[in-house]
Amino acid sequence: MFTWKKGVALVSMVLLGLSLAACGSQPSATNQPAKDKKLVVGFAQIGAESEWRTAETNSIKETAEKLGVDLKFSDAQQKQENQIKAIRSFIAQKVDVIALAPVVESGWETVFKEAKDAKIPIILVDRGAKVDESLYTTFIGSDFIQEGKNAAAEMAKLLNNKGNIVELQGTVGASAANDRKKGFEEGLQAFPDMKIIKSQSGDFTRAKGKEVMEAFLKSDGKNIQAVYAHNDDMAIGAIQAIEEYGLKPGVDIKVVSIDGVKGIFEAMAAGKANVTVECNPLLGPQLFDAAKKLAAGEKVERWIKTEEGIFRADTAKEVLPTRKY
Ligand code: GZL
């Protein structure tokens, strides 16, 4: 016999069935299967100070595009406070992973703790940070101390173990600059007749590298047998200064630098530079591979190293067309 109670129960059963069917057929944001959710990565880039940096940015953007990663990208114009602002913005946007190339090693503790409290893992890319290791998950980048040692060994061959060297350091406080300096000095210990007679920061840029080299030439001119630059861009600036001074770069003053960008291969092919120690900027694939693993709760290695070579003037012409950055 029909009662109102039975009728209400029947109607609610029908409505419940319909709503469950609707859920099953039109996945919404809330019931989107986790595996189909787009990975969201915030990247706080330093700026565009060198060919190397531009190559790294291109690698990260192109790889994100290819993999369908939602990349939030910020350019800090070389300022740490802008990188810190970007990290706070990524936290507010609740990205899955935060990555950055720390412009300098210090000053990250507070904002990294904020990311940790928000349960967002941090990946360091191409430069280190002096913080407690628990505040970041992995460092993807090169062994800068080894790069400095390799540069010293190459310099010894060029100078026959004897000569005065001027050094163009990278950005003050940057791990790449600190460690390339450390590695080069350690490498020189085996060669007591090779001396660094002047050392100053050229901030990893061509313009500043040229300006500092001009000052070195003014004070020490023909007393300089070689220049060691922490990156190729400063070396290219130094080459211009040496030529304007009236000497032959690569001949009168040997040129050894780090990165392996196209510009230094062109200089080596023209006989104006002697050696570049490679530092690979194409880190996009390694970055998003690590980010994907972290977002899925998987572990990643503490240091994901990049493979690198050493390139000399005698092979520059044939290698140049094969270079990807
Ligand atoms: C190295 C990177 C350095 C490059 C420079 O990993 O941090 O910064 O050697 C760049 O060219 O400016």
Side-chain angles (χ1 to χ4, degrees):
M1 177 201 132
F2 176 78
T3 67
W4 276 110
K5 208 169 167 189
K6 280 183 185 167
V8 167
L10 181 64
V11 167
S12 35
M13 294 285 279
V14 167
L15 286 176
L16 178 63
L18 284 174
S19 63
L20 283 177
C23 264
S25 57
Q26 295 114 25
S28 65
T30 46
N31 66 2
Q32 182 73 26
K35 66 176 171 48
D36 299 346
K37 182 179 170 299
K38 253 196 177 203
L39 177 66
V40 185
V41 175
F43 188 83
Q45 180 56 295
I46 291 177
E49 74 281 2
S50 62
E51 273 186 66
W52 189 98
R53 183 67 50 200
T54 304
E56 182 188 65
T57 292
N58 293 341
S59 170
I60 287 170
K61 287 182 172 175
E62 286 160 12
T63 309
E65 178 83 25
K66 197 170 84 182
L67 300 177
V69 171
D70 179 357
L71 176 67
K72 315 279 183 196
F73 183 91
S74 88
D75 176 328
Q77 311 282 316
Q78 309 307 107
K79 291 185 176 61
Q80 180 176 31
E81 64 265 24
N82 290 343
Q83 285 190 298
I84 290 171
K85 272 186 208 138
I87 292 169
R88 288 193 167 120
S89 160
F90 298 150
I91 293 170
Q93 295 176 69
K94 296 186 171 42
V95 298
D96 297 312
V97 176
I98 290 172
L100 73 146
V103 60
V104 292
E105 286 187 301
S106 55
W108 300 103
E109 204 80 21
T110 304
V111 73
F112 279 18
K113 278 204 181 94
E114 291 168 21
K116 185 171 184 177
D117 293 345
K119 297 189 177 18
I120 301 176
I122 285 185
I123 296 177
L124 299 183
V125 177
D126 97 65
R127 288 198 190 166
K130 280 201 182 324
V131 292
D132 185 284
E133 286 217 343
S134 66
L135 292 177
Y136 67 90
T137 56
T138 184
F139 166 65
I140 300 174
S142 309
D143 182 341
F144 303 127
I145 292 178
Q146 189 55 51
E147 289 173 345
K149 286 180 180 172
N150 291 345
E154 293 299 318
M155 188 67 89
K157 284 188 254 179
L158 288 165
L159 296 182
N160 294 319
N161 306 340
K162 185 176 168 51
N164 294 328
I165 302 157
V166 291
E167 179 182 26
L168 296 170
Q169 296 181 39
T171 301
V172 175
S175 63
N178 293 340
D179 289 350
R180 285 172 181 169
K181 179 170 175 43
K182 185 163 181 274
F184 190 75
E185 287 166 354
E186 282 176 13
L188 284 194
Q189 280 166 9
F191 307 101
D193 293 333
M194 287 169 64
K195 292 195 175 15
I196 299 173
I197 57 170
K198 286 280 183 351
S199 181
Q200 191 181 326
S201 174
D203 206 18
F204 282 133
T205 69
R206 291 191 184 196
K208 197 85 173 93
K210 180 179 180 188
E211 190 186 305
V212 174
M213 190 68 200
E214 284 166 347
F216 288 161
L217 288 161
K218 199 160 169 223
S219 62
D220 295 85
K222 292 201 172 34
N223 194 28
I224 299 169
Q225 280 77 51
V227 53
Y228 163 53
H230 290 185
N231 83 331
D232 295 336
D233 283 71
M234 293 190 292
I236 291 164
I239 286 166
Q240 290 163 2
I242 295 167
E243 287 183 312
E244 287 170 14
Y245 184 76
L247 292 175
K248 290 196 193 75
V251 180
D252 302 326
I253 295 181
K254 304 298 183 191
V255 180
V256 174
S257 56
I258 300 174
D259 273 354
V261 298
K262 280 205 176 88
I264 205 69
F265 277 88
E266 286 156 358
M268 287 197 288
K272 297 182 179 177
N274 304 91
V275 175
T276 185
V277 175
E278 187 180 33
C279 174
N280 190 340
L282 308 180
L283 303 176
Q286 289 167 303
L287 167 59
F288 293 114
D289 179 55
K292 200 162 141 242
K293 284 177 180 158
L294 289 170
E298 295 169 29
K299 284 242 171 283
V300 294
E301 298 158 77
R302 285 296 300 176
W303 182 356
I304 299 170
K305 265 194 195 177
T306 43
E307 292 312 315
E308 294 155 349
I310 299 174
F311 296 92
R312 302 171 186 89
D314 59 349
T315 60
K317 268 197 186 78
E318 74 188 86
V319 170
L320 178 55
T322 70
R323 297 298 294 168
K324 296 193 184 77
Y325 64 93

